[in-house]
Amino acid sequence: MSSILRIALQKSGRLSEDSYQLFKECGIRFDYGTGKLKSVSSNFPAEFLFLRDDDIPGYVEDGVADLGIVGENVAVESTHQVETVHRLGFSKCRLSLAIPRGTDWNGIQDLDGKSIATSYPRILGDYLTYHNVSAEIHQISGSVEIAPGIGLAEAICDIVSSGSTLLSNGLKEVEVIFRSEAILIARTTLDAEKQRLLDKLLFRIKAVQAAKNNKYIVLNAPNEALEQITSLLPGMKSPSVMPLATAGWSSVHSVINENDFWENIEAIRSAGAEGILVIPIEKMIY
Ligand code: PRT
Ligand code: ZN
């Protein structure tokens, strides 16, 4: 029987849409939604299982699923042995300590002897131990932000994204203890055939991510500025340079990274480039 990868995704929540979108961009089609628990892809040897995110590391460790997508916060907090295969760059957030807005903050030692409510006792416990702080950890599974208001704890340690939940509960963020994003996790032992399928999937994921991080750029340059402009646009191997119908001018085609995009564009313009077009890339394969 030929092998099939079983991939666990969050059924419905902050990871779901981006996870589904990622597979779509990788050209892997499957149905989801309307209460489905699983779905087989119509064009890739994969079966998708739709689960609560907290259950995914356990299912991956047990071999019910071969792969899964979870927040790194969930993977690190769980005691299950799984391998982090790839960082996916979405659902970014941070796990932070927060205290009532009116309270002074001089540093982590302020929490010595205090009580802290959290759903992340392991990550918090390790952080406190590392900083030699002894505090009482109250493990609660939800609505952590109300704990100080109802007298359950003096501080909280919870996931923060925009910060508006903390704000509306009269709390202030005082220390980021962990930064998280969605990750692809795998069972620690995959047979050769499943590993081959995982490599195939990773190849596609990397092409999709590279495309998102880069843009295709086309510009016109006076020939005397070509050397300087092409050195600013190394592209994937080297830029393409073609003569324009206007004598003394060339067209340069290359790829430019999103991270230093604006600085590079300014340098290219001051070197003499004109008529710059920047075009999104759909897939990028090195
Ligand atoms: O139902 P299921 O168990 O599957 O989902 P869930 O409710 O446990 O998780 P879900 O969907 O809320 O989050 C899934 C993952 O998304 C988390 O494990 C994080 O990795 C990531 N993520 C990104 C977040 C947030 N942003 C986030 N803002 N997870 C939770 N929050 C919550 C946070 O707990 C707090 O209540 O949003 C609130 C803070 O948001 P801001 O924007 O007000 O700061
Ligand atoms: Zn959950």
Side-chain angles (χ1 to χ4, degrees):
M1 206 186 92
S2 57
S3 214
I4 185 164
L5 272 184
R6 307 187 88 202
I7 307 172
L9 302 181
Q10 188 188 28
K11 187 172 169 50
S12 146
R14 288 185 166 91
L15 297 158
S16 310
E17 268 314 309
D18 286 324
S19 302
Y20 300 154
Q21 182 65 23
L22 176 67
F23 286 99
K24 199 171 171 184
E25 288 170 344
C26 288
I28 298 172
R29 285 198 293 270
F30 62 97
D31 291 333
Y32 56 87
T34 62
K36 263 184 178 295
L37 297 177
K38 55 185 189 171
S39 169
V40 176
S41 168
S42 56
N43 64 350
F44 191 88
E47 180 177 44
F48 292 86
L49 312 177
F50 307 114
L51 303 166
R52 285 201 58 190
D53 67 343
D54 319 72
D55 296 333
I56 293 176
Y59 281 121
V60 170
E61 184 188 39
D62 295 346
V64 174
D66 303 305
L67 306 178
I69 293 182
V70 285
E72 201 178 359
N73 49 309
V74 167
V76 172
E77 181 64 27
S78 99
T79 50
H80 299 288
Q81 294 300 311
V82 296
E83 200 175 318
T84 300
V85 180
H86 198 65
R87 307 180 74 78
L88 299 172
F90 56 82
S91 300
K92 286 191 173 167
C93 57
R94 51 197 192 270
L95 185 61
S96 292
L97 286 162
I99 59 171
R101 211 174 304 147
T103 313
D104 280 347
W105 180 254
N106 306 298
I108 185 73
Q109 296 302 330
D110 286 4
L111 292 177
D112 218 19
K114 299 277 169 48
S115 58
I116 312 169
T118 190
S119 307
Y120 296 88
R122 288 189 76 206
I123 302 178
L124 174 60
D126 287 350
Y127 185 85
L128 294 177
T129 305
Y130 180 80
H131 289 278
N132 222 1
V133 171
S134 164
E136 189 189 334
I137 299 177
H138 275 286
Q139 182 176 356
I140 51 176
S141 57
S143 304
V144 174
E145 64 280 354
I146 64 167
I150 60 171
L152 181 71
E154 289 149 300
I156 68 160
C157 174
D158 199 13
I159 298 288
V160 182
S161 173
S162 66
S164 65
T165 303
L166 292 184
L167 200 66
S168 59
N169 283 280
L171 300 169
K172 63 177 176 188
E173 186 177 2
V174 289
E175 206 92 17
V176 175
I177 73 165
F178 186 80
R179 288 190 190 274
S180 178
E181 64 186 84
I183 54 171
L184 182 68
I185 56 169
R187 192 144 49 89
T188 46
T189 49
L190 288 180
D191 65 33
E193 181 58 13
K194 291 203 187 224
Q195 185 61 48
R196 193 186 62 79
L197 292 174
L198 170 57
D199 291 344
K200 203 168 160 177
L201 173 63
L202 276 175
F203 174 78
R204 296 190 190 187
I205 291 176
K206 286 175 187 169
V208 167
Q209 288 181 326
K212 283 206 172 105
N213 294 334
N214 290 279
K215 298 268 184 285
Y216 190 73
I217 180 165
V218 183
L219 57 87
N220 297 329
N223 287 346
E224 60 274 15
L226 275 178
E227 204 179 315
Q228 193 185 353
I229 289 173
T230 54
S231 73
L232 290 165
L233 289 171
M236 291 172 75
K237 196 173 212 74
S238 66
S240 311
V241 179
M242 285 159 275
L244 285 188
T246 307
W249 283 76
S250 296
S251 168
V252 177
H253 294 222
S254 193
V255 160
I256 184 167
N257 194 281
E258 194 77 296
N259 294 334
D260 32 42
F261 179 80
W262 286 110
E263 271 170 36
N264 258 339
I265 290 285
E266 279 162 26
I268 290 160
R269 280 189 66 215
S270 10
E274 290 180 6
I276 304 172
L277 301 179
V278 178
I279 304 150
I281 298 171
E282 197 177 304
K283 303 282 186 295
M284 193 164 153
I285 295 149
Y286 284 92

